[in-house]
Amino acid sequence: MSKALDLTLTDDPDQQNDVFVAAFNSGDGTIFDQLYRDDAISNLSGKPLNGAERKKAITEFLATNPRLNSKVQQTYRTGDTSLLIVEFHLEITGEDGTPAKIDGTCTDVLVRDENGKWIMAIDRPVADEPAA
C-alpha cells in the first residue's frame, strides 16, 4: 500500500517546496491540484488556466510522468500572502519520445485559506530561453 502524501503547507518555504515536488512527482493530477485554490491560475500548460481547465491540463501533463526538482531562491511574505521565487529543473519525454530537460524560474503566490493553511493562488513557471 502506498503512503499518503501530507499536503500540509507551513510557513517554511522549503517544506512548501518539498510538498509541491512530492505531489507533482506522484504523477497524480488530482493530488497535485489539491494544492490550488478553486480559482487559482496556473500556466503550467503554457497559458493561464483555472478551474476545471487547469485541473485537466495538470492531470494530462502529470500522466506523462515528468520529474521535477526545484529549489526556493527567494521568499516574501505579508500577512496571509506569500510569494516564492523557485528555480526548477524538469525532465520530460518529448513528443518524439526522447528525453528532454527544461530549466526555469517559477513565481508562486500562496494565500492562507479559511482554515489557516497555505494554498496556491498563482503558479507561473517560465522556462529559460535556450542558449544561442
Side-chain angles (χ1 to χ4, degrees), residues 8-9 12 50 53 55 62 67-69 93 99 109-110 113:
T8 304
L9 300 178
D12 179 348
N50 66 358
E53 288 181 314
K55 184 174 183 178
L62 293 186
R67 305 312 295 162
L68 176 67
N69 187 336
T93 302
V109 177
L110 294 94
D113 68 10

Side-chain angles (χ1 to χ4, degrees), residues 13-28:
D14 291 321
Q15 186 268 342
Q16 291 176 2
N17 186 60
D18 292 346
V19 170
F20 283 111
V21 169
F24 186 98
N25 288 338
S26 76
D28 188 330

Side-chain angles (χ1 to χ4, degrees), residues 4-128:
L5 292 175
D6 179 0
L7 300 179
T8 304
L9 300 178
T10 69
D11 287 336
D12 179 348
D14 291 321
Q15 186 268 342
Q16 291 176 2
N17 186 60
D18 292 346
V19 170
F20 283 111
V21 169
F24 186 98
N25 288 338
S26 76
D28 188 330
T30 300
I31 289 173
F32 189 69
D33 197 63
Q34 290 176 43
L35 299 173
Y36 291 80
R37 291 170 45 114
D38 289 340
D39 64 348
I41 298 169
S42 174
N43 81 330
L44 184 64
S45 68
K47 61 182 179 179
L49 299 175
N50 66 358
E53 288 181 314
R54 180 197 66 241
K55 184 174 183 178
K56 181 178 186 280
I58 286 172
T59 300
E60 289 173 356
F61 180 63
L62 293 186
T64 67
N65 294 313
R67 305 312 295 162
L68 176 67
N69 187 336
S70 63
K71 180 169 177 38
V72 176
Q73 298 297 312
Q74 299 174 347
T75 60
Y76 304 92
R77 182 169 162 220
T78 181
D80 289 342
T81 304
S82 182
L83 170 67
L84 280 67
I85 309 299
V86 180
E87 176 184 298
F88 71 87
H89 308 283
L90 186 61
E91 296 178 13
I92 63 169
T93 302
E95 291 181 17
D96 64 356
T98 60
K101 292 185 180 186
I102 300 171
D103 298 323
T105 303
C106 192
T107 306
D108 294 332
V109 177
L110 294 94
V111 296
R112 287 194 192 271
D113 68 10
E114 60 277 356
N115 298 313
K117 297 192 178 193
W118 290 103
I119 191 160
M120 184 73 73
I122 301 171
D123 177 24
R124 186 175 179 269
V126 176
D128 293 343

